[in-house]
């Protein structure tokens, strides 16, 4: 089994031969921002995810208590929605997956 990836190397981990043999496509990636994440780092991760064919990305920002939903367009991810307190997410890729934003950021 592949070793546990470092957070910034996750896209590379998804491309490893062992993982590629197991999964043909990654439908949804959930990126949880850390206080130290820079916009440049997040943008690079999203480019990496788009390059390997991820179909949907959620970016959870605990500081703002929001979740941004992004979908690929033209080889990169574009934000299609942002949900805050009281919002309910529904994945386009996994339609049975529904999540209340308040559940994610519950203390």
């Amino acid at each position: 089994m592949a070793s546990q990836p470092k957070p910034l190397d996750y896209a590379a981990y998804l491309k490893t031969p062992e993982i590629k043999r197991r999964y043909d496509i990654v439908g949804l990636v959930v990126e949880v921002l850390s206080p130290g994440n820079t916009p440049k780092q997040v943008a690079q991760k999203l480019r990496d995810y788009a390059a390997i064919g991820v179909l949907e990305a959620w970016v959870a920002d605990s500081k703002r208590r929001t979740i941004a939903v992004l979908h690929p367009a033209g080889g990169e991810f574009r934000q299609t929605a942002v949900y805050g307190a009281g919002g309910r997410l529904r994945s386009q890729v996994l339609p049975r997956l529904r999540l209340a934003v308040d559940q994610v950021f519950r203390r």
Side-chain angles (χ1 to χ4, degrees):
M1 179 171 231
S3 63
Q4 181 69 14
K6 295 177 185 174
L8 294 178
D9 294 335
Y10 197 70
Y13 170 75
L14 293 173
K15 294 178 191 177
T16 60
E18 180 179 339
I19 297 302
K20 287 186 78 69
R21 273 194 309 274
R22 258 196 250 163
Y23 308 100
D24 290 330
I25 194 160
V26 177
L28 172 65
V29 169
V30 179
E31 185 69 36
V32 179
L33 298 181
S34 298
N37 283 128
T38 66
K40 184 177 178 178
Q41 289 172 323
V42 175
Q44 182 59 54
K45 285 184 181 185
L46 291 170
R47 281 192 295 275
D48 291 343
Y49 296 145
I52 62 170
V54 172
L55 301 175
E56 183 172 76
W58 293 359
V59 179
D61 185 336
S62 61
K63 186 176 182 179
R64 292 185 176 141
R65 300 175 73 82
T66 60
I67 299 176
V69 178
L70 302 99
H71 292 96
E76 56 186 50
F77 275 96
R78 301 275 187 226
Q79 185 174 290
T80 56
V82 177
Y83 297 90
R88 292 191 60 81
L89 290 101
R90 181 174 176 209
S91 173
Q92 289 183 9
V93 175
L94 304 169
R96 297 175 103 185
L97 176 59
R98 296 186 177 137
L99 185 67
V101 173
D102 295 334
Q103 286 179 298
V104 174
F105 299 114
R106 187 177 9 195
R107 291 183 185 186

